Amino acid sequence: ETGVTQTPRHLVMGMTNKKSLKCEQHLGHNAMYWYKQSAKKPLELMFVYSLEERVENNSVPSRFSPECPNSSHLFLHLHTLQPEDSALYLCASSHSQRYAGELFFGEGSRLTVL
Amino acid sequence: QKEVEQNSGPLSVPEGAIASLNCTYSDRGSQSFFWYRQYSGKSPELIMSIYSNGDKEDGRFTAQLNKASQYVSLLIRDSQPSDSATYLCASGDDKIIFGKGTRLHILP
């Protein structure tokens, strides 16, 4: 496998469920990111990990909880979400945080909260 | 609040013509600028980065940067139907700010 892979591609959950999004990068990059993409809004940076350490938490509600066990894997744990959290969640990686604009994105996880 | 502004479009351009996409940014300290292409239902893909004033060419794509005017543009020469997509402008250094994107439609 090459690039950045995300699973699941689609997820429907109720407001009381707990689920996780998974991201894996095969590029040897040192920085990984979670972005949220909603209709008619710019891409919103949620979290940044550099060398497995969280370096950015962009005022994201605590119902979103990231985890980075190593430089190749990134998770986003979801619990007690709201319908307005329905969006496309994109994982990305870059060579390092210094190259934060040269992002390689996964295909995204389309989340629907009922 | 740092922002990147783009016209949402759609911008319709005949096949073979030059498509011109524009972007302005508010953070005067930004040193890095990027153009991403996003096809419908797909994730964004980096197509150009530019760091210095002036033009940067890559195949049919030319990025132009004017830091004094806080303006970035992307020109696509000999537009093809396959260029139809949403183009995202982004700026920043360790923290990247994206615009909402401009939808481009190339008319066959």
Side-chain angles (χ1 to χ4, degrees), chain A residues 8 10-14 17 19 110-114:
Chain A
H10 300 273
L11 179 62
V12 179
M13 59 188 289
N17 291 160
K19 297 286 184 183
R110 173 71 62 185
L111 173 66
T112 302
V113 182
L114 301 176

Side-chain angles (χ1 to χ4, degrees), chain A residues 83-99:
Chain A
E84 60 264 29
D85 297 322
S86 298
L88 181 67
Y89 289 85
L90 290 162
C91 174
S93 69
S94 67
H95 185 268
S96 67
Q97 197 187 2
R98 181 182 175 190
Y99 297 95

Side-chain angles (χ1 to χ4, degrees), chain A residues 35 37 40-43 45 56 58 90 97 100-103 105-107, chain B residues 34 36 38 41-44 46 49 51 88 93-96 98-100:
Chain A
Y35 279 87
Q37 189 171 40
K40 301 185 180 179
K41 285 188 173 182
L43 272 170
L45 178 62
E56 183 80 34
N58 224 22
L90 290 162
Q97 197 187 2
E102 298 181 8
L103 296 164
F105 284 93
E107 288 300 318
Chain B
F34 310 91
Y36 284 80
Q38 186 172 21
K42 298 292 187 182
S43 58
L46 178 67
S49 57
Y51 304 96
L88 307 177
D93 299 297
D94 58 337
K95 184 173 178 179
I96 306 301
F98 281 85
K100 293 182 182 180

Side-chain angles (χ1 to χ4, degrees), chain B residues 12-62:
Chain B
S12 295
V13 173
E15 184 176 357
I18 296 175
S20 177
L21 302 160
N22 304 314
C23 168
T24 59
Y25 59 95
S26 64
D27 181 7
R28 211 169 253 289
S30 283
Q31 299 295 317
S32 308
F33 305 88
F34 310 91
W35 284 99
Y36 284 80
R37 178 177 61 201
Q38 186 172 21
Y39 291 116
S40 180
K42 298 292 187 182
S43 58
E45 173 192 14
L46 178 67
I47 54 172
M48 289 288 283
S49 57
I50 185 166
Y51 304 96
S52 305
N53 270 333
D55 295 0
K56 179 181 177 183
E57 188 175 317
D58 184 0
R60 295 186 297 112
F61 298 97
T62 299

Side-chain angles (χ1 to χ4, degrees), chain A residues 8-24:
Chain A
R9 295 291 309 279
H10 300 273
L11 179 62
V12 179
M13 59 188 289
M15 289 191 283
T16 58
N17 291 160
K18 290 184 181 181
K19 297 286 184 183
S20 295
L21 307 180
K22 179 184 175 181
C23 176
E24 183 174 0

